[in-house]
């Protein structure tokens, strides 16, 4: 079978304007809860897309760590490729894909750093080895070997022991959405798409998009 012949018909559910909440973050929370209830593997995994100074996009998978009415929070190394790109272009896009439910959610908006207190609180909640790894790794930077990486980790472990402190180059970002889209797979590629756009008065405008 060729790649072009790979296809699946979607038929698990539908999505109408009457099905969704007026606020898209409330709608996301509902779908996210349903993904957890359905035991979707790593339902908190998302693609994060950023753009460099030349307009070249890049994407990677991260884990969402908090969602509230302020936006979507994730954590990373501020000096990484994504951090450098966000320094030059504060806009980004997230994508959640829950194939088991035949659903995806697109989220676009402005990204801001969260407070140092919030970053400290999450860093201190992480497993010890994850905290040490965050200190030891200069994320996205080239290195000559795995052995050198492991030596750096061992040096950090010896230096900090069980009391690692959040390094200034590591912390949280919050994407503040101004566009969200909910996609429900339907038969014959005639999918349901409901989009929300943030208005100047703070309200959300909903509309159906063609598949």
């Amino acid at each position: 079978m060729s790649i072009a012949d790979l296809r699946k018909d979607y038929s698990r559910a539908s999505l109408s304007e009457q099905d969704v909440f007026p606020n898209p973050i409330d709608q996301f929370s509902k779908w996210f809860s349903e993904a957890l209830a359905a035991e979707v593997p790593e339902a908190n995994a998302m693609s994060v897309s950023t753009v460099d100074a030349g307009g070249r996009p890049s994407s990677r998978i991260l884990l969402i760590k908090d969602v509230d009415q302020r936006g979507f929070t994730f954590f990373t190394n501020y000096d990484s490729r994504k951090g450098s790109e966000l320094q030059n272009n504060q806009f980004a896009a997230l994508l959640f894909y829950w194939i088991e439910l035949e659903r995806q959610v697109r989220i676009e908006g402005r990204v801001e750093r969260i407070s140092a207190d919030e970053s400290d609180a999450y860093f201190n909640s992480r497993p010890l080895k994850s905290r040490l790894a965050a200190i030891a790794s200069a994320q996205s930077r080239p290195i000559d070997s795995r052995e050198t990486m492991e030596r750096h980790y061992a040096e950090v472990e010896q230096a900090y022991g069980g009391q690692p402190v959040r390094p200034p180059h590591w912390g949280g970002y919050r994407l503040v959405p101004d566009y969200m889209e909910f996609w429900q797979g339907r038969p014959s590629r005639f999918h349901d798409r409901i989009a929300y756009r943030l208005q100047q008065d703070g309200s959300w405008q909903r509309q159906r998009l063609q598949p």
Side-chain angles (χ1 to χ4, degrees):
M1 180 180 291
S2 71
I3 294 176
D5 292 329
L6 293 174
R7 60 175 54 86
K8 177 184 176 181
D9 219 17
Y10 301 126
S11 59
R12 288 181 60 93
S14 62
L15 185 67
S16 73
E17 293 83 342
Q18 292 72 40
D19 293 331
V20 295
F21 286 105
N23 184 307
I25 296 180
D26 293 336
Q27 180 62 33
F28 176 88
S29 297
K30 176 178 183 291
W31 270 21
F32 187 70
S33 295
E34 291 174 357
L36 293 176
E39 299 183 346
V40 171
E42 294 204 274
N44 57 334
M46 61 182 180
S47 170
V48 179
S49 298
T50 54
V51 179
D52 69 13
R56 185 185 181 100
S58 63
S59 299
R60 72 288 290 162
I61 300 297
L62 273 71
L63 300 179
I64 193 74
K65 290 301 178 179
D66 192 28
V67 180
D68 58 26
Q69 292 300 322
R70 295 174 298 173
F72 298 78
T73 300
F74 58 93
F75 293 83
T76 190
N77 187 312
Y78 292 141
D79 295 334
S80 64
R81 178 177 178 181
K82 73 183 83 62
S84 297
E85 291 177 351
L86 288 170
Q87 185 70 26
N88 292 312
N89 186 331
Q90 64 181 340
F91 293 98
L94 312 179
L95 175 65
F96 291 84
Y97 184 47
W98 302 312
I99 183 57
E100 293 82 359
L101 300 179
E102 300 171 354
R103 289 174 173 172
Q104 62 177 312
V105 183
R106 298 169 62 180
I107 306 165
E108 301 172 13
R110 175 178 48 81
V111 177
E112 61 189 20
R113 289 192 187 187
I114 65 175
S115 70
D117 287 345
E118 289 175 292
S119 289
D120 286 342
Y122 176 69
F123 183 82
N124 293 330
S125 75
R126 303 181 84 204
L128 174 60
K129 290 184 180 297
S130 295
R131 284 177 277 163
L132 293 171
I135 297 171
S137 173
Q139 192 178 95
S140 301
R141 304 290 177 86
I143 197 165
D144 61 351
S145 68
R146 175 78 191 186
E147 289 73 23
T148 302
M149 285 174 51
E150 291 176 349
R151 186 170 64 252
H152 286 176
Y153 181 92
E155 292 168 354
V156 167
E157 188 173 30
Q158 183 175 13
Y160 286 88
Q163 298 297 324
V165 177
R166 181 180 68 88
H169 63 259
W170 192 96
Y173 287 107
R174 179 180 295 113
L175 186 144
V176 181
D178 55 29
Y179 177 85
M180 293 181 63
E181 180 187 321
F182 296 83
W183 178 99
Q184 177 69 61
R186 297 296 303 275
S188 303
R189 296 294 186 266
F190 220 52
H191 310 302
D192 287 326
R193 297 172 62 188
I194 304 295
Y196 294 74
R197 292 187 185 276
L198 185 64
Q199 306 300 296
Q200 289 188 349
D201 63 2
S203 65
W204 289 93
Q205 181 187 59
R206 280 179 292 171
Q207 61 183 168
R208 174 175 289 273
L209 303 180
Q210 298 184 61

